[in-house]
């Protein structure tokens, strides 16, 4: 059952008018009373209607951004795209991470309840899509970056994962590679399934290993296959970090890249230019994804209806020495 303003008022021992004044920052409220009301709002998870609050309070000219962690390799580039766009529109940015799991989500929810921002850009943390959908239904404008195949009911910005996988396969096939290994990410992600399907549509293979997007995962997968005398002449890794682990394992085993085994990654993070050898990879336009999501959200806040379909940005194959 949805928490109401009456529930907050009753729990805090104040009137509904006092709760409304705290939420909308209108009228004089004793500092200790306001603090108690905000604490109850956070405890109960109360989410006021953004439309009603907006009418009462006006715009905060602040955009929220929720991400799993800032340690993801491409997060900095994506965040910069959001920051550049938001600041150019004279908005501020309030950044939330989910490094502490449920505690982080609760803290984020309290800020939603207090209407600290007008809308939200999201890179979906694990197991939060249901909560985000509820917030959207309650009136919070949200734009999701990389929907992972979940196709939420609110706007999103995605990239051509299937075509990216196909472009990697076409490149390897043109180079005469016929026994590829595909090292995926976790297969419950829609983007992982799309990359695999796209690759297999061009270069069919049954040699598929589910990885975890880590350098260690890429290294261990290749070490295990080499120890078992499994033959492959190329590797398509679903991100550049795991591709770096592949390169490390091949080098340790005395396999030459690309002469013996060619390697292709995905993302084109800055590290990809500096691996040994430099990594051929499928570039995701991460900064443009951030810019596009921020523009979409700001346009919506300005009264423009949101698009019915995701904004789709193209991937691009970047050829370097690991698979020339």
């Amino acid at each position: 059952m949805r928490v109401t303003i009456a529930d907050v008022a009753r729990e805090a021992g104040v009137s509904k008018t006092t709760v409304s004044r705290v939420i909308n920052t209108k009228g004089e409220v004793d500092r200790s009373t306001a603090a108690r009301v905000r604490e109850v709002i956070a405890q109960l998870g109360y989410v006021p209607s953004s439309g009603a609050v907006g009418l009462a309070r006006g715009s905060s000219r602040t955009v929220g951004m929720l991400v799993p962690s800032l340690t993801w390799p491409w997060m900095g580039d994506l965040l910069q795209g959001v920051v550049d766009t938001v600041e150019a529109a004279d908005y501020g940015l309030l950044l939330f991470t989910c490094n502490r799991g449920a505690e982080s989500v609760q803290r984020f929810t309290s800020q939603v309840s207090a209407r600290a921002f007008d809308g939200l850009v999201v890179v979906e943390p694990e197991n939060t899509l249901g909560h985000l959908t509820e917030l959207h239904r309650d009136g919070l404008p949200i734009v999701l970056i990389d929907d992972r195949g979940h196709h939420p009911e609110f706007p999103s910005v995605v990239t051509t994962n299937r075509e990216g996988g196909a472009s990697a396969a076409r490149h390897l096939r043109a180079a005469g590679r016929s026994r590829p290994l595909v090292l995926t990410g976790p297969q419950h992600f829609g983007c992982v399934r799309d990359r695999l399907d796209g690759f297999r549509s061009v270069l069919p293979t049954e040699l598929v290993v589910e990885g975890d997007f880590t350098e260690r995962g890429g290294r261990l997968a290749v070490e295990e296959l080499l120890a078992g005398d499994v033959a492959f002449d190329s590797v398509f890794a679903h991100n550049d970090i795991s591709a770096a682990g592949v390169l490390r394992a091949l080098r340790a085993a005395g396999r030459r890249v690309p002469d013996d085994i060619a390697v292709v990654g995905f993302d084109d993070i800055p590290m990809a230019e500096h691996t040994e050898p430099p990594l051929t990879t499928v570039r995701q336009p991460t900064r443009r994804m951030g810019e596009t999501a921020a523009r979409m959200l700001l346009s919506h806040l300005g009264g423009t209806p949101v698009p019915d379909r995701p904004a789709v940005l193209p991937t691009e194959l970047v050829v370097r020495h690991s698979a020339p």
Side-chain angles (χ1 to χ4, degrees), residues 167-179 202-203 233-234 258-264 280 317 319-324:
S167 68
R170 284 193 295 268
H171 182 71
L172 291 174
R173 185 179 64 182
R177 311 289 174 161
S178 59
R179 299 188 307 278
V202 174
L203 194 55
D233 61 10
S234 52
D259 295 350
D260 298 328
I261 299 174
V263 179
V264 178
T280 293
L317 183 72
V319 179
R320 299 191 181 98
H321 297 312
S322 70

Side-chain angles (χ1 to χ4, degrees), residues 2-24 37 40-41 44-49 52-53 113:
R2 183 181 174 186
V3 178
T4 67
I5 194 170
D7 297 325
V8 175
R10 182 170 54 254
E11 184 69 21
V14 299
S15 68
K16 290 191 291 184
T17 300
T18 298
V19 175
S20 179
R21 285 174 178 169
V22 172
I23 293 170
N24 295 309
V37 170
V40 171
I41 286 173
L44 298 181
Y46 171 62
V47 181
S49 163
V53 174
S113 301

